[in-house]
Amino acid sequence: MLTAEPPLTRRERFRHWRGMRPFGGAVMLTVSAAFLLLPAYTTLEVGDLLISISTISGVSTLFLGASMLLCAGSVLVRPKTRVTAGGGAMLLALVALPAANFGGFGVGTLMGVLGAAATLAWTDRSGAPPAETAAPRRPPTTLTAD
């Protein structure tokens, strides 16, 4: 009698999906984008004091935050774009430091650099054998006695 394996639960399917892409790096890039976008588009109310940041840097902040979200999304959807998206996210995080409210108060830049590094360092462990990096072996030479 054949016994079928039980179907995978949602948690197991998510764990498998998450293992096939740089999920941690993408989460850090998303948090970075949120911190980059937050200061320029929120209004804080402290007692009777209303704090609003709306300057010309809001356009660059919007561009940097949206581009960071794009990098995070592309890594999740297509893991093979990790080098391009990770390099772009690293560049965006470093440009955000002077251009976007001190990089989202420093936290956005820090999370962007860490997320980009995690994305660039990720390797696919889907079960495919790694390519040999050693030099190819030469066939053994046979000595003949004359």
Side-chain angles (χ1 to χ4, degrees):
M1 178 165 89
L2 296 174
T3 59
E5 292 183 23
L8 297 175
T9 63
R10 283 186 184 169
R11 181 179 296 243
E12 291 168 338
R13 284 190 315 234
F14 178 68
R15 183 179 300 143
H16 176 70
W17 179 83
R18 188 181 62 199
M20 303 280 292
R21 50 199 28 87
F23 187 76
V27 168
M28 284 189 265
L29 291 177
T30 304
V31 169
S32 170
F35 273 100
L36 290 176
L37 291 171
L38 186 68
Y41 298 104
T42 56
T43 302
L44 300 173
E45 190 172 336
V46 180
D48 291 337
L49 181 64
L50 187 65
I51 301 171
S52 177
I53 303 172
S54 58
T55 63
I56 194 70
S57 71
V59 175
S60 65
T61 302
L62 177 63
F63 173 73
L64 291 169
S67 298
M68 190 71 76
L69 279 175
L70 184 69
C71 289
S74 70
V75 165
L76 283 177
V77 173
R78 295 197 182 263
K80 292 189 182 207
T81 64
R82 71 177 177 83
V83 174
T84 306
M90 181 72 75
L91 183 65
L92 289 169
L94 294 174
V95 166
L97 193 61
N101 300 320
F102 195 57
F105 302 122
V107 178
T109 295
L110 180 66
M111 292 301 289
V113 168
L114 292 176
T119 300
L120 289 169
W122 179 80
T123 57
D124 185 15
R125 297 181 188 236
S126 62
E132 271 195 51
T133 57
R137 295 185 189 188
R138 291 188 219 161
T141 58
T142 55
L143 298 175
T144 58
D146 285 330

